[in-house]
Amino acid sequence: NAGVTQTPKFRVLKTGQSMTLLCAQDMNHEYMYWYRQDPGMGLRLIHYSVGEGTTAKGEVPDGYNVSRLKKQNFLLGLESAAPSQTSVYFCASSWGRSTEQFFGPGTRLTVL
Amino acid sequence: AQSVTQLDSHVSVSEGTPVLLRCNYSSSYSPSLFWYVQHPNKGLQLLLKYTSAATLVKGINGFEAEFKKSETSFHLTKPSAHMSDAAEYFCVVSDRGIGTGGGADGLTFGKGTHLIIQP
C-alpha cells in the first residue's frame, strides 16, 4: 500500500497563477483533509471531506477550493495564488471522524 | 469545544537522557489523544494513541504517554533519547462528542514541540 500520496512535491508560482494539488489514498478511507503548515502555527485545517462528493470548510478556507469526485482523491485548488499562500500543504485521510489520520509527505509551495 | 496546549515550543536534551514533552488538553467529552512526530521535510507519523483503554500507552521507538484525567494531561516520555528522535512532535486531541467542532469537526493539533538532541 502506498498510503497517502501527494503531487507535486514542490512548486513555485507567481502571484495570480492557479494550480491544483492532488492527494490520493489507497486505504478506502471516507474522510480526507487538507492542512497547511506554517512556522510556529502548527497545522491548520483548510478543507475536509466526509465522503465522495462532499466537502466542508475548515479553519482557513479562504482562497482555496476543493473537490472529491472520487473516494480515493481529494484535490486542492488555488484559483489566484497570493504570497500569503506560501506554505507546506499536507493531505491526510482517516476511516472515521476523530480517528487517527494518515498523512502524505507534503507539498512545498512558494508564491512569488 | 476542545483545545490542546503543548507547554514547551523547544526541548533540548542530551543523548541517552530521558525525554519529557508536555501536553495539556481540554475537552467537553471523553477524548481520544494522539502524539505525532514529524521529521525534517517529512509528513506526520503516528507515535501513539489513547482511546479510553489503558491509561499508559506505548508507542513506536520506545515512546510512551500517560493519560491523566485529573490533570488533563497527556505527556510524552522516553527513557533514553537517541539522535534520531530529533524532530517536531504534535499532541492532538479528538473530542468524540457530536457537533462539537466549529469548522474543524475532528482533530485539534497543538502547535508542536521541537525536540533537540545534544550529542
Side-chain angles (χ1 to χ4, degrees), chain A residues 24-73:
Chain A
Q25 53 96 3
D26 62 2
M27 296 173 281
N28 202 33
H29 285 166
E30 289 294 336
Y31 288 66
M32 297 187 74
Y33 312 82
W34 276 107
Y35 294 91
R36 60 177 290 171
Q37 184 178 33
D38 303 291
M41 305 289 286
L43 269 73
R44 293 182 292 170
L45 184 64
I46 303 171
H47 286 281
Y48 65 102
S49 167
V50 301
E52 181 178 322
T54 75
T55 63
K57 293 181 180 179
E59 181 184 357
V60 289
D62 294 341
Y64 305 95
N65 57 76
V66 288
S67 64
R68 183 102 180 266
L69 299 180
K70 293 182 179 180
K71 185 176 184 178
Q72 64 268 32
N73 295 337

Side-chain angles (χ1 to χ4, degrees), chain A residues 68-93:
Chain A
R68 183 102 180 266
L69 299 180
K70 293 182 179 180
K71 185 176 184 178
Q72 64 268 32
N73 295 337
F74 195 30
L75 278 63
L76 178 71
L78 286 72
E79 290 186 348
S80 179
S84 61
Q85 294 176 305
T86 293
S87 188
V88 181
Y89 292 86
F90 287 100
C91 176
S93 70

Side-chain angles (χ1 to χ4, degrees), chain A residues 37 48 97-98 100-101, chain B residues 36 38 41 49 94 103 105:
Chain A
Q37 184 178 33
Y48 65 102
R97 180 186 183 278
S98 304
E100 68 214 64
Q101 295 180 9
Chain B
Y36 283 84
Q38 183 182 29
N41 301 312
K49 62 181 178 181
S94 160
D105 198 47

Side-chain angles (χ1 to χ4, degrees), chain A residues 98, chain B residues 1-3 25-34 49-53 67-69 72-74 92-97 107:
Chain A
S98 304
Chain B
Q2 61 195 32
S3 66
Y25 70 91
S26 81
S27 172
S28 303
Y29 298 89
S30 178
S32 291
L33 293 154
F34 310 86
K49 62 181 178 181
Y50 165 78
T51 55
S52 79
F67 173 70
K68 293 187 175 180
K69 186 175 181 179
T72 61
S73 69
F74 191 57
V92 182
V93 64
S94 160
D95 189 328
R96 292 176 288 172
L107 306 187

